[in-house]
Amino acid sequence: MDNLPTVIMEAMAAGLPVVSTQIGGIPEMVVENETGLVVPPNDPLALADAMERLLADPALAKKFGQAGRERAGQLFSIEKNVRELLNLFP
């Protein structure tokens, strides 16, 4: 199990809405009702409902995708990471 799956970061960076479970560090990346939908683990009905919600509301899916792209850029941009590395070596 990956604590923060790369595929989620990649999807968000690509502007795609995300539906995932509440395991590991995922809720730190996927903010419920802001960048995507987070469902309980081992709940296929909740997962299906969340996916259906996004499929039925393309505007919501687009909103989550745009917000996810912004969040991914804020958290994982090369500029941010380089700045943090440079701060380690003053």
Side-chain angles (χ1 to χ4, degrees), residues 11-86:
M12 292 176 75
L16 298 173
V18 174
V19 176
S20 188
T21 58
Q22 303 165 328
I23 59 171
I26 293 171
E28 294 175 33
M29 183 74 176
V30 183
V31 179
E32 176 70 17
N33 289 313
E34 185 180 315
T35 63
L37 300 172
V38 182
V39 300
N42 301 314
D43 190 343
L45 198 55
L47 181 62
D49 288 344
M51 292 171 63
E52 183 178 18
R53 181 176 168 201
L54 291 180
L55 289 170
D57 190 345
L60 181 64
K62 184 176 182 178
K63 177 184 164 192
F64 286 170
Q66 290 171 339
R69 183 179 177 127
E70 289 176 23
R71 184 161 177 80
Q74 291 168 352
L75 295 175
F76 300 105
S77 74
I78 190 72
E79 293 85 3
K80 177 186 179 290
N81 287 309
V82 168
R83 268 193 307 276
E84 288 179 0
L85 281 173
L86 290 174

